[in-house]
Amino acid sequence: MASTDLLLTFNAGSSTVKIGIFAMDGDKARRLGKGVIDFRAEPLSLGLVKGSQTFEMPLQAEVTEGLHGVIDEAFALLADHFDIAAARAAGHRVVHGGDRFTSATALDAATIDAVDALTPLAPLHQPQALRFIRALAHLKPHLAQTASFDTAFHATQDDLVRRFAIPRALHAEGIKRYGFHGLSYKFIAGQLTRNAPHAAKAVVAHLGSGASLCALDQGVSRDCSMGFSTLDGIPMATRPGSLDAGVILHLASQRKQSFEEIADLLYHRSGLLGVSGISADIRDLLNDTRPAARQAIDLFTLRIAGEIGRMAVTLGGLDAVVFTAGVGEHQPEIRAGVARRLSWLGLAIEEKANIANAFAISTWESRIAAHVVATDEEQVIADEALSILGTG
């Protein structure tokens, strides 16, 4: 393929989509720019970064279920800055691959249907990715499409780690721990291999509005805090993390709450927002002096530290702790709070390096290394798409 050919990536969340624009340079995907559409924003716009330039371009199209108008207009705006006519392929982040998709795959009608069949396992995120996949198939049928799965990276976990203590028949039906944020962890694993080879046994904390931790052994996933769903593990912006199943039974039986009410509570009204009653944004809480804001932060760091301790058991040791994603990369106070709770393990943070968001933030005396590594899920999607297209 010529170096002028372009590859697009679509990283769809529950209410946003991040668009990556890459040049296909031989067997390498080289980023040219990135865009984002936040469907919660009014008025709707396409934010674009190209080199050192940033643009905010209004979108006039109506947001429909098929998203045809929005995507058509977004492509037209991107064409003002890139040779979009040279786009040859599109790679998508898909949250759930189940047990069927343990690696990235090319998308055709049959595989799209198979991805759709997994929607019950990720009802909040799966439909969003499928909207973009189907819209592109309709609007740009010449584009080859691929899917990269958040669960695939965790397929290396032992069956014992993936099991719940429930009847074996339910496990066989697919009720098990899958793990998520796999594209982020795959990128971090590669970065650690290149830049921190000493971090053989590492726990990576992907801390954003969605948050999880992953235990890596020589870059291979051995455990993840998220399990069957993206609700599990540590508290998040609006999700509770691990929750006694008895709470759900109580809400249903004693308070007579409906499925829809409970789902809304778990996905949208819990986590940092629920504990603080103030905000789901960690930045707001760090700037708020009220006790409830501090309690939300303290619970967040307590659960993160506790999960790191649990994963050290899975790994049989711990060489490094790695912080990534929006909160992990940019909030020194959160990293310091986690480190203080792990001081008994010998983790010590160097204050100036931590404030500077440096790559290495642990002291020379620390028995465990601590790193801050920026993640790039779109790069993984692009690399996987190019790998599939290059072998097709």
Side-chain angles (χ1 to χ4, degrees):
M1 293 178 180
S3 61
T4 54
D5 287 346
L6 298 188
L7 168 67
L8 306 178
T9 62
F10 291 82
N11 185 346
S14 57
S15 56
T16 63
V17 62
K18 299 175 185 176
I19 304 171
I21 303 97
F22 293 82
M24 301 167 74
D25 289 344
D27 61 348
K28 303 293 184 183
R30 175 172 54 87
R31 186 188 285 276
L32 300 177
K34 58 183 177 181
V36 63
I37 301 173
D38 185 344
F39 290 96
R40 298 165 298 187
E42 294 183 4
L44 196 66
S45 65
L46 170 65
L48 180 65
V49 177
K50 181 183 181 183
S52 60
Q53 296 178 293
T54 60
F55 307 89
E56 196 70 31
M57 299 172 287
L59 290 166
Q60 306 298 330
E62 181 182 352
V63 179
T64 61
E65 178 61 29
L67 294 176
H68 293 176
V70 171
I71 293 176
D72 229 7
E73 188 178 356
F75 268 68
L77 292 173
L78 289 173
D80 292 335
H81 301 272
F82 305 96
D83 184 12
I84 292 300
R88 299 290 176 260
H92 299 266
R93 170 189 173 231
V94 177
V95 166
H96 219 302
D99 286 329
R100 170 166 179 174
F101 297 106
T102 57
S103 62
T105 186
L107 288 169
D108 57 20
T111 52
I112 291 172
D113 287 344
V115 169
D116 195 1
L118 295 168
T119 296
L121 296 178
L124 189 67
H125 294 89
Q126 204 87 341
Q128 297 299 86
L130 285 162
R131 289 171 80 189
F132 286 96
I133 291 168
R134 286 174 169 145
L136 284 182
H138 175 79
L139 295 169
K140 308 288 181 181
H142 66 283
L143 290 181
Q145 295 198 75
T146 63
S148 294
F149 300 92
D150 258 334
T151 51
F153 184 69
H154 303 297
T156 53
Q157 293 177 10
D158 189 89
D159 178 73
L160 186 64
V161 171
R162 301 186 73 185
R163 275 189 181 271
F164 294 116
I166 57 175
R168 298 186 71 84
L170 293 176
H171 178 85
E173 290 175 14
I175 301 179
K176 63 182 71 172
R177 300 179 62 85
Y178 290 98
F180 299 92
H181 291 137
L183 302 181
S184 175
Y185 293 128
K186 182 175 182 177
F187 183 84
I188 298 300
Q191 294 294 98
L192 291 178
T193 298
R194 286 185 288 272
N195 302 316
H198 61 275
K201 295 182 183 295
V203 174
V204 183
H206 176 109
L207 307 178
S209 57
S212 69
L213 289 89
C214 177
L216 296 178
D217 193 349
Q218 301 287 353
V220 176
S221 175
R222 297 304 182 196
D223 205 341
C224 187
S225 61
M226 280 182 172
F228 178 72
S229 77
T230 58
L231 290 169
D232 201 10
I234 62 172
M236 297 165 240
T238 61
R239 288 172 256 171
S242 297
L243 183 68
D244 184 342
V247 174
I248 307 302
L249 297 177
H250 173 82
L251 294 175
S253 64
Q254 300 302 314
R255 300 190 60 174
K256 308 300 181 186
Q257 290 194 2
S258 66
F259 170 83
E260 290 76 16
E261 289 172 322
I262 294 173
D264 180 60
L265 170 71
L266 297 179
Y267 279 106
H268 304 297
R269 296 193 289 115
S270 296
L272 297 176
L273 175 63
V275 175
S276 70
I278 297 168
S279 175
D281 193 321
I282 199 74
R283 293 168 295 187
D284 294 337
L285 300 179
L286 288 169
N287 291 323
D288 198 303
T289 59
R290 284 174 284 183
R294 173 47 55 183
Q295 186 175 56
I297 292 168
D298 288 345
L299 182 61
F300 188 52
T301 58
L302 174 66
R303 297 298 183 227
I304 294 169
E307 195 66 14
I308 291 171
R310 185 187 72 78
M311 289 189 175
V313 173
T314 300
L315 291 171
L318 186 62
D319 299 318
V321 174
V322 182
F323 297 92
T324 193
V327 175
E329 294 170 26
H330 302 294
Q331 299 301 331
E333 186 172 340
I334 298 302
R335 297 192 298 260
V338 173
R340 282 193 295 271
R341 297 182 183 280
L342 294 172
S343 61
W344 61 277
L345 278 175
L347 177 59
I349 295 294
E350 205 288 309
E351 185 176 2
K352 289 183 179 180
N354 186 39
I355 291 173
N357 300 323
F359 169 70
I361 60 172
S362 47
T363 66
W364 287 104
E365 298 83 9
S366 181
R367 293 201 299 271
I368 298 169
H371 295 290
V372 179
V373 182
T375 194
D376 192 342
E377 294 173 326
E378 288 80 39
Q379 185 67 55
V380 175
I381 298 168
D383 289 343
E384 292 189 343
L386 200 55
S387 175
I388 291 169
L389 296 171
T391 59

